[in-house]
Coordinates of all heavy atoms in Angstrom, one line a residue:
M258 N -56.5 -60.7 -31.6 CA -56.2 -61.0 -30.1 C -56.6 -62.4 -29.8 O -57.6 -62.9 -30.2 CB -57.0 -59.9 -29.3 CG -56.6 -59.9 -27.8 SD -54.9 -59.3 -27.6 CE -54.8 -59.2 -25.8
T259 N -55.7 -63.0 -29.0 CA -56.0 -64.4 -28.6 C -57.1 -64.4 -27.5 O -57.4 -63.4 -26.9 CB -54.8 -65.1 -28.0 OG1 -54.2 -64.2 -27.0 CG2 -53.8 -65.4 -29.1
S260 N -57.7 -65.6 -27.3 CA -58.8 -65.7 -26.3 C -58.3 -65.3 -24.9 O -57.2 -65.6 -24.5 CB -59.2 -67.2 -26.3 OG -60.1 -67.4 -25.2
N261 N -59.2 -64.7 -24.2 CA -59.0 -64.4 -22.8 C -60.0 -65.1 -21.9 O -60.3 -64.7 -20.8 CB -59.0 -62.9 -22.5 CG -60.3 -62.2 -22.7 OD1 -61.3 -62.9 -23.0 ND2 -60.3 -60.9 -22.7
N262 N -60.5 -66.2 -22.5 CA -61.5 -67.0 -21.8 C -62.7 -66.2 -21.3 O -63.3 -66.5 -20.2 CB -60.9 -67.7 -20.6 CG -59.8 -68.7 -21.0 OD1 -59.9 -69.4 -22.0 ND2 -58.7 -68.7 -20.3
G263 N -63.1 -65.2 -22.0 CA -64.3 -64.4 -21.7 C -64.1 -63.5 -20.6 O -65.0 -62.8 -20.1
R264 N -62.8 -63.3 -20.1 CA -62.6 -62.5 -19.0 C -61.8 -61.2 -19.4 O -60.8 -61.4 -20.2 CB -61.7 -63.2 -17.9 CG -62.3 -64.5 -17.6 CD -62.8 -64.5 -16.2 NE -63.2 -65.8 -15.7 CZ -64.2 -66.0 -14.9 NH1 -65.0 -65.1 -14.6 NH2 -64.5 -67.2 -14.5
D265 N -62.2 -60.1 -18.9 CA -61.5 -58.9 -19.3 C -60.1 -58.7 -18.5 O -60.1 -59.0 -17.4 CB -62.3 -57.7 -19.0 CG -63.4 -57.4 -20.0 OD1 -63.2 -57.9 -21.1 OD2 -64.3 -56.7 -19.7
Y266 N -59.2 -58.2 -19.3 CA -57.9 -57.9 -18.6 C -57.8 -56.4 -18.3 O -58.4 -55.6 -19.1 CB -56.7 -58.2 -19.6 CG -56.3 -59.6 -19.6 CD1 -56.8 -60.5 -20.6 CD2 -55.4 -60.2 -18.7 CE1 -56.4 -61.8 -20.7 CE2 -55.0 -61.5 -18.8 CZ -55.5 -62.3 -19.8 OH -55.1 -63.6 -19.9
I267 N -57.2 -56.1 -17.2 CA -56.8 -54.7 -17.0 C -55.3 -54.6 -16.8 O -54.7 -55.6 -16.4 CB -57.5 -54.0 -15.8 CG1 -57.2 -54.8 -14.5 CG2 -59.1 -54.0 -16.1 CD1 -57.7 -54.0 -13.3
V268 N -54.7 -53.5 -17.2 CA -53.3 -53.3 -17.0 C -53.1 -52.1 -16.0 O -53.7 -51.1 -16.2 CB -52.6 -52.9 -18.4 CG1 -51.2 -52.6 -18.2 CG2 -52.8 -54.1 -19.4
I269 N -52.3 -52.3 -15.1 CA -52.0 -51.3 -14.1 C -50.5 -51.0 -14.1 O -49.7 -51.9 -13.9 CB -52.4 -51.7 -12.7 CG1 -53.9 -52.0 -12.6 CG2 -52.1 -50.6 -11.6 CD1 -54.2 -53.4 -12.1
K270 N -50.1 -49.7 -14.4 CA -48.7 -49.4 -14.4 C -48.5 -48.4 -13.2 O -49.1 -47.3 -13.2 CB -48.3 -48.7 -15.7 CG -46.9 -48.3 -15.7 CD -46.4 -47.7 -17.0 CE -45.0 -47.4 -17.0 NZ -44.5 -46.7 -18.2
A271 N -47.6 -48.7 -12.3 CA -47.3 -47.9 -11.2 C -46.5 -46.6 -11.6 O -45.5 -46.7 -12.3 CB -46.5 -48.6 -10.1
L272 N -47.0 -45.5 -11.2 CA -46.3 -44.2 -11.5 C -45.5 -43.7 -10.3 O -44.9 -42.6 -10.4 CB -47.3 -43.1 -11.9 CG -48.2 -43.5 -13.1 CD1 -49.2 -42.4 -13.4 CD2 -47.3 -43.7 -14.4
E273 N -45.5 -44.5 -9.2 CA -44.7 -44.2 -8.1 C -44.4 -45.5 -7.3 O -45.1 -46.5 -7.6 CB -45.4 -43.2 -7.1 CG -46.7 -43.7 -6.5 CD -47.3 -42.7 -5.5 OE1 -46.8 -41.6 -5.3 OE2 -48.4 -43.1 -5.0
D274 N -43.5 -45.5 -6.4 CA -43.2 -46.7 -5.6 C -44.4 -46.9 -4.6 O -45.1 -46.0 -4.2 CB -42.0 -46.5 -4.8 CG -40.7 -46.5 -5.6 OD1 -40.8 -46.9 -6.8 OD2 -39.6 -46.2 -5.1
G275 N -44.6 -48.2 -4.3 CA -45.6 -48.6 -3.3 C -47.1 -48.5 -3.7 O -47.9 -48.4 -2.8
V276 N -47.3 -48.6 -5.0 CA -48.7 -48.6 -5.5 C -49.3 -50.0 -5.1 O -48.7 -51.0 -5.2 CB -48.8 -48.4 -7.0 CG1 -50.2 -48.7 -7.5 CG2 -48.4 -47.0 -7.3
Q277 N -50.5 -49.9 -4.5 CA -51.2 -51.2 -4.1 C -52.3 -51.5 -5.0 O -53.1 -50.7 -5.3 CB -51.7 -51.0 -2.7 CG -50.8 -51.6 -1.6 CD -51.4 -51.4 -0.3 OE1 -51.6 -50.3 0.2 NE2 -51.8 -52.6 0.3
V278 N -52.3 -52.8 -5.5 CA -53.4 -53.3 -6.3 C -54.1 -54.3 -5.4 O -53.5 -55.3 -5.0 CB -52.9 -54.0 -7.6 CG1 -54.1 -54.5 -8.4 CG2 -52.1 -53.0 -8.4
I279 N -55.4 -54.1 -5.1 CA -56.1 -54.9 -4.1 C -57.3 -55.6 -4.8 O -58.1 -54.9 -5.4 CB -56.6 -54.0 -2.9 CG1 -55.4 -53.3 -2.2 CG2 -57.5 -54.8 -2.0 CD1 -55.8 -52.1 -1.4
G280 N -57.4 -56.9 -4.7 CA -58.5 -57.6 -5.3 C -59.6 -57.8 -4.3 O -59.3 -58.2 -3.1
L281 N -60.8 -57.5 -4.7 CA -62.0 -57.7 -3.8 C -62.8 -58.9 -4.3 O -63.0 -59.2 -5.5 CB -62.8 -56.5 -3.8 CG -62.2 -55.3 -3.1 CD1 -61.5 -54.4 -4.0 CD2 -63.2 -54.5 -2.3
T282 N -63.3 -59.6 -3.3 CA -64.0 -60.9 -3.6 C -65.4 -60.7 -4.3 O -66.1 -59.7 -4.1 CB -64.3 -61.7 -2.3 OG1 -65.0 -60.8 -1.4 CG2 -63.1 -62.1 -1.7
R283 N -65.7 -61.7 -5.1 CA -67.0 -61.7 -5.7 C -68.0 -62.5 -4.8 O -67.6 -63.4 -4.1 CB -66.9 -62.5 -7.1 CG -68.2 -62.5 -7.9 CD -68.0 -63.2 -9.2 NE -66.9 -62.6 -10.1 CZ -67.1 -61.4 -10.8 NH1 -68.2 -60.8 -10.8 NH2 -66.1 -61.0 -11.5
G284 N -69.3 -62.1 -4.8 CA -70.2 -62.8 -4.0 C -70.9 -61.9 -3.0 O -70.7 -60.7 -3.1
T285 N -71.6 -62.5 -2.1 CA -72.4 -61.7 -1.1 C -71.5 -60.9 -0.2 O -71.8 -59.8 0.3 CB -73.3 -62.6 -0.2 OG1 -72.5 -63.7 0.2 CG2 -74.4 -63.1 -1.1
D286 N -70.3 -61.5 0.1 CA -69.3 -60.8 1.0 C -68.2 -60.1 0.2 O -67.5 -60.8 -0.6 CB -68.8 -62.0 1.8 CG -67.9 -61.5 2.9 OD1 -68.1 -60.4 3.4 OD2 -67.0 -62.3 3.3
T287 N -68.1 -58.8 0.3 CA -67.1 -58.1 -0.5 C -66.0 -57.7 0.4 O -66.1 -56.9 1.3 CB -67.7 -56.8 -1.1 OG1 -68.8 -57.2 -1.9 CG2 -66.7 -56.1 -2.0
R288 N -64.8 -58.4 0.3 CA -63.7 -58.1 1.1 C -62.4 -58.2 0.3 O -62.4 -58.8 -0.7 CB -63.7 -59.0 2.3 CG -63.7 -60.5 1.9 CD -63.7 -61.5 3.0 NE -64.0 -62.8 2.5 CZ -63.1 -63.5 1.8 NH1 -61.9 -63.1 1.6 NH2 -63.4 -64.7 1.3
F289 N -61.3 -57.7 0.9 CA -60.0 -57.8 0.3 C -59.6 -59.3 0.3 O -59.7 -59.9 1.3 CB -59.0 -57.0 1.1 CG -59.1 -55.5 1.0 CD1 -60.2 -54.9 0.4 CD2 -58.1 -54.7 1.5 CE1 -60.3 -53.5 0.3 CE2 -58.2 -53.3 1.5 CZ -59.3 -52.7 0.9
H290 N -59.0 -59.8 -0.8 CA -58.5 -61.1 -0.7 C -57.0 -61.2 -1.2 O -56.4 -62.2 -1.0 CB -59.3 -62.1 -1.5 CG -59.2 -61.9 -3.0 ND1 -58.1 -62.2 -3.8 CD2 -60.1 -61.4 -3.9 CE1 -58.4 -61.9 -5.0 NE2 -59.6 -61.4 -5.1
H291 N -56.6 -60.1 -1.8 CA -55.2 -60.1 -2.3 C -54.7 -58.7 -2.4 O -55.4 -57.8 -2.9 CB -55.1 -60.8 -3.6 CG -53.7 -61.0 -4.1 ND1 -53.0 -62.2 -4.0 CD2 -52.9 -60.2 -4.8 CE1 -51.8 -62.0 -4.5 NE2 -51.7 -60.8 -5.0
S292 N -53.5 -58.5 -2.0 CA -52.9 -57.2 -2.2 C -51.5 -57.3 -2.8 O -50.7 -58.2 -2.4 CB -52.8 -56.5 -0.8 OG -52.0 -55.3 -0.9
E293 N -51.2 -56.5 -3.8 CA -50.0 -56.6 -4.6 C -49.3 -55.3 -4.5 O -50.0 -54.2 -4.7 CB -50.3 -57.0 -6.0 CG -49.2 -57.6 -6.8 CD -48.7 -58.9 -6.4 OE1 -49.6 -59.8 -6.1 OE2 -47.5 -59.1 -6.3
K294 N -48.0 -55.2 -4.3 CA -47.4 -53.9 -4.2 C -46.5 -53.7 -5.5 O -45.7 -54.6 -5.8 CB -46.5 -53.8 -3.0 CG -47.0 -52.6 -2.2 CD -46.1 -52.2 -1.1 CE -47.0 -51.3 -0.2 NZ -46.6 -51.4 1.2
L295 N -46.7 -52.6 -6.2 CA -45.9 -52.3 -7.4 C -45.0 -51.1 -7.1 O -45.4 -50.1 -6.5 CB -46.8 -52.0 -8.6 CG -47.9 -53.0 -8.9 CD1 -48.6 -52.5 -10.2 CD2 -47.3 -54.4 -9.3
D296 N -43.7 -51.2 -7.6 CA -42.9 -50.0 -7.6 C -42.9 -49.3 -8.9 O -43.4 -49.9 -9.9 CB -41.4 -50.5 -7.2 CG -41.3 -50.8 -5.7 OD1 -42.1 -50.2 -4.9 OD2 -40.4 -51.6 -5.3
Q297 N -42.5 -48.1 -8.9 CA -42.5 -47.3 -10.1 C -42.1 -48.0 -11.4 O -41.0 -48.6 -11.4 CB -41.7 -46.0 -9.9 CG -41.8 -45.1 -11.1 CD -41.5 -43.6 -10.7 OE1 -40.8 -43.4 -9.7 NE2 -41.9 -42.7 -11.6
G298 N -42.9 -47.9 -12.4 CA -42.6 -48.6 -13.7 C -43.1 -50.0 -13.8 O -43.1 -50.6 -14.8
E299 N -43.4 -50.6 -12.6 CA -43.8 -52.0 -12.7 C -45.3 -52.1 -13.2 O -46.1 -51.2 -12.9 CB -43.7 -52.7 -11.3 CG -42.3 -53.0 -10.9 CD -42.2 -53.8 -9.6 OE1 -43.0 -53.5 -8.6 OE2 -41.4 -54.7 -9.5
I300 N -45.6 -53.2 -13.8 CA -46.9 -53.4 -14.5 C -47.5 -54.6 -14.0 O -46.8 -55.7 -13.8 CB -46.7 -53.4 -16.0 CG1 -46.3 -52.0 -16.6 CG2 -47.9 -53.9 -16.7 CD1 -45.9 -52.0 -18.0
M301 N -48.8 -54.6 -13.7 CA -49.5 -55.8 -13.4 C -50.6 -55.9 -14.5 O -51.3 -55.0 -14.8 CB -50.1 -55.7 -12.0 CG -50.9 -56.9 -11.6 SD -51.2 -56.9 -9.8 CE -52.3 -58.3 -9.7
V302 N -50.8 -57.1 -15.0 CA -51.8 -57.5 -15.9 C -52.7 -58.4 -15.2 O -52.3 -59.5 -14.7 CB -51.3 -58.2 -17.2 CG1 -52.4 -58.5 -18.2 CG2 -50.2 -57.3 -17.9
A303 N -54.0 -58.1 -15.0 CA -54.9 -58.9 -14.2 C -56.3 -59.0 -14.9 O -56.7 -58.3 -15.7 CB -55.1 -58.2 -12.8
Q304 N -56.9 -60.1 -14.5 CA -58.3 -60.4 -15.0 C -59.3 -60.3 -13.8 O -58.9 -60.5 -12.7 CB -58.4 -61.8 -15.6 CG -57.8 -61.9 -17.0 CD -57.8 -63.3 -17.4 OE1 -57.2 -64.2 -16.7 NE2 -58.4 -63.6 -18.5
F305 N -60.5 -60.0 -14.2 CA -61.6 -60.2 -13.3 C -62.0 -61.7 -13.4 O -62.1 -62.3 -14.5 CB -62.8 -59.3 -13.6 CG -62.5 -57.9 -13.3 CD1 -62.0 -57.1 -14.3 CD2 -62.6 -57.4 -12.1 CE1 -61.7 -55.7 -14.1 CE2 -62.3 -56.1 -11.8 CZ -61.9 -55.2 -12.8
T306 N -62.1 -62.4 -12.3 CA -62.3 -63.8 -12.3 C -63.5 -64.2 -11.4 O -64.2 -63.3 -10.8 CB -61.1 -64.5 -11.6 OG1 -61.0 -64.2 -10.3 CG2 -59.8 -64.1 -12.3
E307 N -63.7 -65.5 -11.3 CA -64.7 -66.0 -10.4 C -64.5 -65.6 -9.0 O -65.5 -65.4 -8.2 CB -64.5 -67.6 -10.5 CG -65.3 -68.4 -9.7 CD -64.8 -69.9 -9.7 OE1 -63.9 -70.2 -10.5 OE2 -65.4 -70.7 -9.0
H308 N -63.3 -65.3 -8.6 CA -63.0 -64.9 -7.2 C -62.9 -63.4 -7.1 O -63.0 -62.9 -6.0 CB -61.6 -65.5 -6.8 CG -61.6 -67.0 -6.9 ND1 -62.4 -67.8 -6.2 CD2 -60.9 -67.8 -7.8 CE1 -62.2 -69.1 -6.5 NE2 -61.3 -69.1 -7.5
T309 N -62.6 -62.7 -8.1 CA -62.3 -61.2 -8.1 C -63.3 -60.4 -8.8 O -63.4 -60.6 -10.1 CB -60.9 -60.9 -8.7 OG1 -59.9 -61.8 -8.0 CG2 -60.5 -59.5 -8.5
S310 N -64.1 -59.6 -8.1 CA -65.1 -58.8 -8.8 C -64.7 -57.4 -9.0 O -65.3 -56.7 -9.8 CB -66.4 -58.9 -8.0 OG -66.3 -58.2 -6.8
A311 N -63.8 -56.9 -8.2 CA -63.4 -55.5 -8.2 C -61.9 -55.4 -7.8 O -61.4 -56.3 -7.1 CB -64.3 -54.7 -7.2
V312 N -61.3 -54.3 -8.3 CA -59.9 -54.1 -8.0 C -59.8 -52.6 -7.5 O -60.4 -51.7 -8.1 CB -59.0 -54.3 -9.2 CG1 -57.6 -53.8 -8.9 CG2 -59.1 -55.7 -9.7
K313 N -59.1 -52.5 -6.4 CA -58.9 -51.1 -5.9 C -57.4 -50.8 -6.1 O -56.6 -51.6 -5.8 CB -59.3 -51.1 -4.4 CG -58.9 -49.8 -3.7 CD -59.5 -49.9 -2.3 CE -59.1 -48.7 -1.5 NZ -59.8 -48.6 -0.2
V314 N -57.2 -49.6 -6.6 CA -55.8 -49.2 -6.8 C -55.5 -48.0 -5.9 O -56.2 -47.0 -6.0 CB -55.5 -48.8 -8.3 CG1 -54.1 -48.4 -8.5 CG2 -55.9 -50.0 -9.2
R315 N -54.5 -48.2 -5.1 CA -54.1 -47.1 -4.2 C -52.8 -46.6 -4.6 O -51.8 -47.4 -4.6 CB -54.1 -47.7 -2.8 CG -54.0 -46.8 -1.6 CD -54.0 -47.5 -0.3 NE -55.4 -47.8 0.2 CZ -55.6 -48.7 1.1 NH1 -54.7 -49.4 1.6 NH2 -56.9 -48.9 1.6
G316 N -52.7 -45.3 -4.8 CA -51.4 -44.7 -5.3 C -51.5 -44.3 -6.7 O -52.5 -44.5 -7.4
K317 N -50.4 -43.6 -7.2 CA -50.4 -43.1 -8.5 C -50.2 -44.2 -9.5 O -49.2 -44.9 -9.5 CB -49.4 -42.0 -8.7 CG -49.7 -40.7 -7.9 CD -48.7 -39.6 -8.1 CE -49.0 -38.5 -7.1 NZ -47.9 -37.5 -7.1
A318 N -51.1 -44.3 -10.5 CA -51.0 -45.4 -11.4 C -51.7 -45.0 -12.7 O -52.6 -44.1 -12.8 CB -51.6 -46.7 -10.9
L319 N -51.3 -45.7 -13.8 CA -52.0 -45.6 -15.1 C -52.8 -47.0 -15.2 O -52.2 -48.0 -15.1 CB -51.0 -45.4 -16.2 CG -51.5 -45.5 -17.6 CD1 -52.5 -44.4 -17.9 CD2 -50.3 -45.5 -18.6
I320 N -54.1 -46.9 -15.5 CA -54.9 -48.1 -15.6 C -55.5 -48.1 -17.0 O -56.2 -47.2 -17.4 CB -56.0 -48.1 -14.5 CG1 -55.3 -48.0 -13.1 CG2 -56.9 -49.3 -14.6 CD1 -56.1 -47.3 -12.0
Q321 N -55.3 -49.2 -17.6 CA -55.9 -49.4 -19.0 C -56.9 -50.6 -18.9 O -56.6 -51.6 -18.4 CB -54.8 -49.7 -20.0 CG -53.9 -48.6 -20.2 CD -52.8 -49.0 -21.2 OE1 -52.3 -50.1 -21.2 NE2 -52.4 -48.0 -22.0
S322 N -58.0 -50.4 -19.6 CA -59.0 -51.5 -19.7 C -59.7 -51.3 -21.0 O -59.5 -50.3 -21.7 CB -60.0 -51.4 -18.5 OG -60.9 -50.4 -18.7
S323 N -60.7 -52.1 -21.3 CA -61.4 -52.0 -22.5 C -62.3 -50.8 -22.5 O -62.8 -50.3 -23.5 CB -62.3 -53.3 -22.7 OG -63.1 -53.4 -21.6
Y324 N -62.5 -50.1 -21.3 CA -63.2 -48.9 -21.2 C -62.4 -47.7 -21.5 O -62.9 -46.6 -21.5 CB -63.9 -48.8 -19.8 CG -64.9 -49.9 -19.6 CD1 -64.5 -51.0 -18.8 CD2 -66.1 -49.9 -20.2 CE1 -65.4 -52.0 -18.6 CE2 -67.0 -51.0 -20.1 CZ -66.6 -52.0 -19.2 OH -67.5 -53.0 -19.1
G325 N -61.1 -47.9 -21.6 CA -60.2 -46.7 -21.9 C -59.1 -46.7 -20.8 O -58.8 -47.7 -20.2
E326 N -58.5 -45.5 -20.7 CA -57.3 -45.3 -19.9 C -57.6 -44.3 -18.8 O -58.2 -43.3 -19.1 CB -56.2 -44.8 -20.8 CG -54.8 -45.0 -20.3 CD -53.8 -44.6 -21.4 OE1 -53.6 -45.4 -22.3 OE2 -53.3 -43.5 -21.3
I327 N -57.1 -44.5 -17.6 CA -57.3 -43.5 -16.6 C -56.1 -43.5 -15.7 O -55.4 -44.5 -15.4 CB -58.6 -43.9 -15.8 CG1 -58.9 -42.7 -14.8 CG2 -58.5 -45.2 -15.0 CD1 -60.4 -42.8 -14.3
R328 N -55.8 -42.2 -15.3 CA -54.6 -42.0 -14.4 C -55.3 -41.5 -13.1 O -56.2 -40.7 -13.1 CB -53.7 -41.0 -14.9 CG -52.9 -41.4 -16.1 CD -52.2 -40.1 -16.7 NE -51.1 -39.7 -15.8 CZ -49.8 -39.8 -16.1 NH1 -49.5 -40.4 -17.2 NH2 -48.9 -39.4 -15.2
N329 N -54.8 -42.0 -12.0 CA -55.3 -41.4 -10.8 C -54.4 -40.5 -10.0 O -54.4 -40.4 -8.8 CB -55.8 -42.6 -9.9 CG -54.7 -43.5 -9.4 OD1 -53.6 -43.3 -9.8 ND2 -55.0 -44.4 -8.5
D330 N -53.6 -39.8 -10.8 CA -52.7 -38.8 -10.2 C -53.1 -37.4 -10.5 O -52.3 -36.5 -10.4 CB -51.3 -39.1 -10.6 CG -51.1 -38.8 -12.1 OD1 -52.1 -38.7 -12.9 OD2 -49.9 -38.7 -12.5
E331 N -54.3 -37.1 -10.9 CA -54.8 -35.8 -11.3 C -55.5 -35.1 -10.1 O -56.0 -35.8 -9.2 CB -55.6 -35.8 -12.5 CG -54.7 -36.0 -13.8 CD -55.4 -36.8 -14.9 OE1 -56.6 -37.0 -14.8 OE2 -54.7 -37.2 -15.8
Ligands
LIG195 N1 -56.5 -65.8 -7.4 C1 -57.1 -64.5 -7.8 C2 -58.3 -64.8 -8.7 O1 -58.3 -65.7 -9.5 C3 -56.0 -63.7 -8.6 C4 -56.4 -62.4 -9.2 C5 -57.1 -62.3 -10.4 C6 -56.2 -61.1 -8.7 N2 -57.3 -61.0 -10.6 C7 -56.8 -60.2 -9.6 C8 -55.6 -60.6 -7.5 C9 -56.8 -58.8 -9.4 C10 -55.6 -59.2 -7.3 C11 -56.2 -58.3 -8.3 O2 -59.3 -64.1 -8.7

């Protein structure tokens, strides 16, 4: 695998239309800073960065990371 600059990637695949991927800020203040809408079958590949400490996924999706795979439609 090529370098990912020390940052973990996660993959989010939408299992329905209108799935929201929301980035939350790193630091003392935890707030939404970005929201991305995915339609069914669309995939987002994202990293945790200096600006993004957490990701909230709203809607049915398949999420893959180095910790494994999780679906939130069960
Ligand atoms: N500019 C943001 C950042 O560097 C972009 C980003 C990275 C992002 N990972 C994300 C946005 C996850 C939403 C979800 O942090």
Side-chain angles (χ1 to χ4, degrees):
M258 191 66 178
T259 51
S260 168
N261 64 8
N262 298 318
R264 310 252 189 215
D265 280 342
Y266 280 95
I267 61 169
V268 176
I269 300 125
K270 180 178 180 185
L272 301 177
E273 65 178 359
D274 287 348
V276 169
Q277 264 183 291
V278 180
I279 300 159
L281 291 97
T282 55
R283 189 177 297 284
T285 48
D286 187 26
T287 305
R288 58 181 168 74
F289 291 5
H290 69 73
H291 186 96
S292 171
E293 199 69 44
K294 241 194 195 142
L295 306 181
D296 284 335
Q297 183 156 18
E299 287 188 316
I300 288 171
M301 183 165 170
V302 182
Q304 282 175 302
F305 290 96
T306 68
E307 174 189 357
H308 305 293
T309 306
S310 66
V312 172
K313 175 172 173 171
V314 179
R315 193 179 272 162
K317 292 182 185 172
L319 171 65
I320 299 149
Q321 296 177 322
S322 76
S323 57
Y324 297 103
E326 197 172 284
I327 189 163
R328 290 169 70 108
N329 64 354
D330 64 345
E331 283 147 16

